[in-house]
Amino acid sequence: MTTPPTLPKSRQQLILAVLLLSSVLIWLDNTILSTTFETLADPVRGLGANPSQLQWATGSYTLVFATLMFTAGALGDRFGHRTVLATGMAIFAGSSIWAAYASDASQLIAARAVMGAGSALIMPATMAILTWTFSGPARATAIGIVSASAGVGIAAGPLLAGVLLDHFWWGSVFLVNVPIVVLALAGIATLIPNFRSPVPRPLDPAGLVLSISGLAALAYGLIRAGQVAAWTRTDVWAPIAAGLVLLAAFVLVELRSRQPSFDPRLLAQRVFGGGNLALGLLFFAITAVGFYGAFYLQGSRGFSPLEAGLASSPGAIGAMIGGPLGIRLVRKSSLRVVSAPALAVAGLAMGTFGFFGVDTPLPWIEIVMSVQGLAIGLVIGPVTATLMGTLPLERAGAGSAVTNTVRQTGSVIGIAVGGTIMSIAYRRGIDGPVQGLPDSVQDRMRTSAELARHAAAAINRPDLARAADDAFIHAMHVGTVWTMLIALSGAAVLAITMRPDRKTKVSEPDPVQALESATP
């Protein structure tokens, strides 16, 4: 099918409902895992995963998602977006079952990587089908509704994970994806035409291989640094250097391509490049602080998964409110005035974690999370709309691929660097209390605070459990300082790059026009 058919309004609404399921599924899975970290790290209730394995459980998913997404759009052009969407959903469901019954952390990491491949097929196909199904203001409304579904998934993920973990085993947080996929596949098969482009984009195998291998090597080196608590070892700096070289080669390949899947030239534009850099830094910070927060609430504070989900929900609610509020404020003022201060506030809120301890009153934590979530919402929605509004319609697909890839890359690096800083600081904090213990106990104590608590209980040493909590709190404080600085640097980038030119003012796009353009 090369031209969009005129579909009845009732069928358009049903298609939108199916696509909402696809979008909520991805965002739900993105947030549901963080609530499961503490359980997965538990050697009795979970897999006894160490921090680096948990970093890879998140990083493998995001890495494949980031690098395969811009190729998935070209697959939809060739084989039909319905086919690609259904394939992505099936892969996602199958790998969710694999993850649920993983017998060790390595299997979970592999399953999460395959889940990332499924998500990478789902995301661009969803947006492409919306573009073909709707037109004019209806298209903008539909894209806005699907974009808002991210807030639903972010808010519901921790709560759903809490309920499941309180009543079932940890694998249930992945099995919950399966009935959603079955329902969505039924709708895809019966409602959605197999839209495809009359002029398929070429595939980019060289770019795909270079981007995946480069990001994987970079992430491996960064995470390895946390495992060995050193940056000068060959198995740390060599993968980092190799990753940077491969990513540089990827950029060169894309620059020489006539139709690149990822167009680096767009990043040379001041507003588009600066805005994407700021978003990448923000997602770096969000992922890192989320990694700390999951262990803080359930580990050091002893919250149940449901209690942790409820405690973090104000942040998700704040983000849901901040998105549409930010777009309205930008229409009345400017992006620089609204989003640069908001990103600074988000960074300072993240830095506030540096004052949290095992006895910090819960209301203070929820206030900070609410402010942080609201500020993040004031940044992501308006900045994304403005970035897409700076591009002509024929470049919107390329711009969307760049923006989504930069976001996910920021998340990959955030989980790698954030987790590594926390691991190194924790080991240094626990070194003193474990001196004189048997080597086997010392190894467990140094691996993570979760394993340390179990080791302390096994030898009836509650003082060691308290030392592990103190070492983790210290590590969190160290990590949040760096996270705050990363977010504040993003605010500085926005303030600099979004300044109006002396001759021409930076145009603030109408949100409707921006949403119409924001399709891959």
Side-chain angles (χ1 to χ4, degrees), residues 397-481:
S400 178
V402 170
T403 298
N404 285 321
T405 301
V406 169
R407 286 184 182 186
Q408 297 301 324
T409 301
S411 297
V412 171
I413 305 303
I415 195 69
V417 174
T420 291
I421 290 173
M422 186 180 74
S423 295
I424 293 174
Y426 170 78
R427 287 192 178 194
R428 291 175 179 172
I430 199 67
D431 270 345
V434 302
Q435 294 299 321
L437 295 174
D439 290 344
S440 60
V441 177
Q442 287 194 35
D443 290 341
R444 296 186 68 189
M445 293 288 296
R446 288 192 175 102
T447 298
S448 69
E450 289 65 41
L451 290 179
R453 294 186 194 102
H454 282 276
I459 61 176
N460 195 25
R461 290 283 303 274
D463 59 308
L464 291 178
R466 288 192 296 271
D469 286 336
D470 291 341
F472 171 79
I473 294 296
H474 165 73
M476 183 179 73
H477 291 172
V478 173
T480 52
V481 171

Side-chain angles (χ1 to χ4, degrees), residues 51-95:
S52 65
Q53 290 170 327
L54 293 175
Q55 286 173 272
W56 275 116
T58 298
S60 64
Y61 172 92
T62 311
L63 188 152
V64 175
F65 192 0
T67 52
L68 187 58
M69 187 161 43
F70 53 80
T71 300
L75 292 174
D77 290 343
R78 287 175 176 268
F79 303 109
H81 295 292
R82 182 186 67 184
T83 299
V84 170
L85 178 60
T87 302
M89 297 293 280
I91 291 173
F92 195 89
S95 53

Side-chain angles (χ1 to χ4, degrees), residues 296 349 352-358 360 364-365 368-369 473 476-477:
Y296 170 66
T352 306
F353 274 72
F355 298 97
F356 290 172
V358 293
T360 302
W364 286 113
I365 298 173
V368 170
M369 288 188 172
I473 294 296
M476 183 179 73
H477 291 172

Side-chain angles (χ1 to χ4, degrees), residues 1 39 88 186 196 203 285 293 317 370 518:
M1 184 175 298
T39 304
R196 71 182 70 194
L203 299 177
I317 295 171
S370 298

Side-chain angles (χ1 to χ4, degrees), residues 289-383:
V289 80
F291 193 72
Y292 307 144
F295 292 107
Y296 170 66
L297 291 175
Q298 294 185 58
S300 297
R301 297 301 298 265
F303 288 5
S304 72
L306 180 57
E307 289 171 338
L310 289 170
S312 60
S313 60
I317 295 171
M320 291 173 63
I321 296 172
L325 175 62
I327 290 178
R328 294 193 194 97
L329 291 175
V330 166
R331 295 186 68 179
K332 295 179 180 180
S333 180
S334 71
L335 180 69
R336 189 188 191 200
V337 169
V338 173
S339 292
L343 185 44
V345 170
L348 293 174
M350 294 173 186
T352 306
F353 274 72
F355 298 97
F356 290 172
V358 293
D359 298 317
T360 302
L362 182 58
W364 286 113
I365 298 173
E366 295 190 338
I367 290 172
V368 170
M369 288 188 172
S370 298
V371 172
Q372 176 183 300
L374 180 64
I376 289 171
L378 289 171
V379 176
I380 295 177
V383 171

